[in-house]
Every structure is written in C-alpha cells, then in structure tokens.
Amino acid sequence: MPVITTPQEFNVPDLFVDLGPSLGIPLYLKCEGFNFAGSIKLKAATEMIDAAEREGLLGPGAMLVESSSGNMGVALSLVALGRGYRFTCVTDVRCTQTARSLMRALGAHVHVVSEPDAVAGFLGARLRQVARMCAEHDDYVWLNQYSNQGNWMAHRRTTGPEILRAFPELDVLFVGAGTTGTLMGCARYLREARPSARIVAIDSVGSVTFGRPAGPRLIPGLGTGVRPALLNESLVDDVLHVAEPDTVRACRSLARQGFLFGGSTGSVVAGAAKWLADNDSGGITAVAVAPDLGERYLDTVYEDQWVAQAFGAQALDEQELTGVGTARALRSAG
C-alpha cells in the first residue's frame, strides 16, 4: 500500500483504457488525470519548480506567477502550496469555474483576463499581463511554461518511458499540442528509444502552433495563439487539427461508455480516430495521451445549453466519431 507525505508523490503512471471494445477504435488511452492536481500538468509543474529551486531562484515565501488556461494553474497551485510559495495564476474567461475554484482553494490568487490581444488572442493578453506584473514586482518569479525546458524534460523522464514500458511494440503515439511540453518530451524520448514509432500531434482548429491561421477557440487546453518556443516540428511526423464540435462529440461518446474525460482528451481521441481511419491501422499498436478527466468541463463540454450556444444545436447530435466505423471494421478484420 503506497504511503505519501506530499500530494505530488502520488500519480498513477500505468493506467490505460482500451477503446476497442467501447468505441471500436484500435487505440489505448493513457490516463493522466489520476493525481491530486487532476491532470498531466503536475509532472511539469513539479519539474519546473524543482529546477527553479536548484538554480536558487526561489526563496522562502517566493511569489510564483504563471499564465495558464487551467490545468497548469491548478498543478502549480498544489506544488507551490506544499513548498511554502505564493502563486498567482493569470488566466482568461475560457478557464472553467471549477479550475478557478480549485486554484483558489489551494491558496492561489487568480487574475482573469477578459479581453484577447488583437493579434495573439487570449494567450497574448495573458503573457502581456504576466510581463507587466513581473516588471512591477521584482520578487515575482515567472516559470514560463511556454519556454521552460523542464516542461518537456518532465515527460522525457516519465511519460515517454511509461508508455514504452507498457507497449514496447508501439507504432504510433498521439499527443495533444498545447505548450507542446508533453509532445516534445515524449517525442525526444521515443526518437532515441523507439525511432520507428510515429509521433502524431493533435491540435485545435484556430491554433497557430503549426502555422495555421488563428481563429476563435472556446475549450481550454490544446492550441495556442502564440507559437510555442518549445516546439521542434522536426520531431513530429503528422499533425491533425480537430474542430471543437468534434471535440465535444468525442468527449460525449466516451462519456456514454462511462469514461468522463476532459476537452483535450476529446480532441486527441477525435484526431486519433480520423488518423487511424485514414491510414493502414490494421494490427498496429496505437496509444494516445489523455491529459485530464472531465469534472472540470461539466459546465461546458457536458452542458447542453453551453454547447448549443457555442457551436449550435447540431453539435449535440449523437453522431459517430469520424473514422470510428472504419476503425471498427479494421479491428474486426484483424
């Protein structure tokens, strides 16, 4: 029986869901939401704070500040609280009320940006606010998850090896692209340990990460309005962009099977289903990373009125995921 003394010591590294029986997709989903922060971001938050401590950047009672759409803010709130640091999260109106409440419950101050930058969207506005705070307060420490090497190093050290240990014959890995920390860490590890594995990035329609035009995005998690400094496109084999109505349908398809996952997971599953249907996926071993669970999205992705207002009533149609039928047929034939 595990016994811990700090919340970041607990994480379930080896839980996977086989989506074949439930959705007919030849895909294993690595569940990263089973820790006290509720998401994969706990790994990077711990790594970045550990590095800042080693570098002597954090004194007793230091004030950390970070821009986050939700999950990193919760994770940093948790780690900062345990280490005796203060924390201010700069987020925006798309951050769910649950995530904001969790941060405040963990002692963080939450600053909500209400207007996007004309060019760089809400992320640009958040980054400008963080820079302003740091200029006004010499004792503020900005970890900057968008360029902090600890962000990807956490996943090179943990997530990548965890996946390959469970699936040594891995053929393709699907990872959502936000800051690209998880994507880059897993890709760097697999390029050395399993170079034959394909790395497929899943992004949101409206994100500029891979050179697509900016557009409105309502579901926090994947996608950016500013190209991530951590991204190295040479480590990525394919990129798929998922429209947010498809994210909603994927989340709800999973929920109908009893699996309540977050918006980022919905995007990754929708993108993976399409890729598997469009490629010769018979007999391959495919894994996708599910960053969080669905409780933080009960008022948005899983709320009919919110979905209808955001995307139209057609988004509520219980349509089969794009590619699921084809993937199911391939699995049956195999």
Side-chain angles (χ1 to χ4, degrees), residues 81-197:
L81 180 67
R83 305 284 180 93
Y85 305 129
R86 297 169 294 154
F87 174 57
T88 294
C89 180
V90 178
T91 189
D92 61 66
V93 293
R94 299 169 303 174
C95 179
T96 67
Q97 289 294 334
T98 302
R100 298 184 211 182
S101 297
L102 282 168
M103 286 187 271
R104 293 185 177 114
L106 292 168
H109 173 73
V110 181
H111 180 96
V112 181
V113 172
S114 59
E115 294 294 332
D117 180 86
V119 176
F122 276 112
L123 177 55
R126 287 176 4 217
L127 295 177
R128 188 171 62 245
Q129 179 61 37
V130 171
R132 184 181 301 120
M133 287 178 169
C134 291
E136 294 173 353
H137 302 277
D138 292 340
D139 59 336
Y140 277 29
V141 178
W142 181 18
L143 296 173
N144 196 355
Q145 62 169 322
Y146 309 98
S147 62
N148 193 311
Q149 300 301 300
N151 192 342
W152 68 261
M153 289 174 64
H155 302 289
R156 187 189 185 285
R157 183 174 59 81
T158 61
T159 312
E162 289 162 5
I163 291 169
L164 199 60
R165 184 165 58 246
F167 297 96
E169 302 303 316
L170 178 71
D171 294 304
V172 58
L173 176 66
F174 301 95
V175 186
T179 64
T180 69
T182 306
L183 175 65
M184 290 294 96
C186 290
R188 290 177 189 277
Y189 174 77
L190 290 173
R191 283 291 178 259
E192 298 177 4
R194 178 72 174 169
S196 63

Side-chain angles (χ1 to χ4, degrees), residues 247-334:
T247 295
V248 171
R249 294 188 184 100
C251 285
R252 288 172 170 239
S253 293
L254 288 162
R256 288 195 292 273
Q257 304 301 320
F259 297 115
L260 195 71
F261 286 105
S264 297
T265 299
S267 295
V268 171
V269 170
K274 186 177 189 311
W275 191 95
L276 291 167
D278 291 344
N279 291 269
D280 183 10
S281 56
I284 72 169
T285 299
V287 175
V289 177
D292 62 0
L293 301 179
E295 292 92 338
R296 294 173 194 178
Y297 303 83
L298 293 177
D299 294 333
T300 55
V301 170
Y302 295 103
E303 171 54 51
D304 287 357
Q305 184 176 355
W306 185 90
V307 171
Q309 289 178 345
F311 308 116
Q314 66 275 12
L316 295 170
D317 295 342
E318 294 189 2
Q319 300 176 10
E320 190 172 65
L321 279 175
T322 301
V324 168
T326 305
R328 184 181 291 121
L330 286 169
R331 187 178 182 88
S332 299

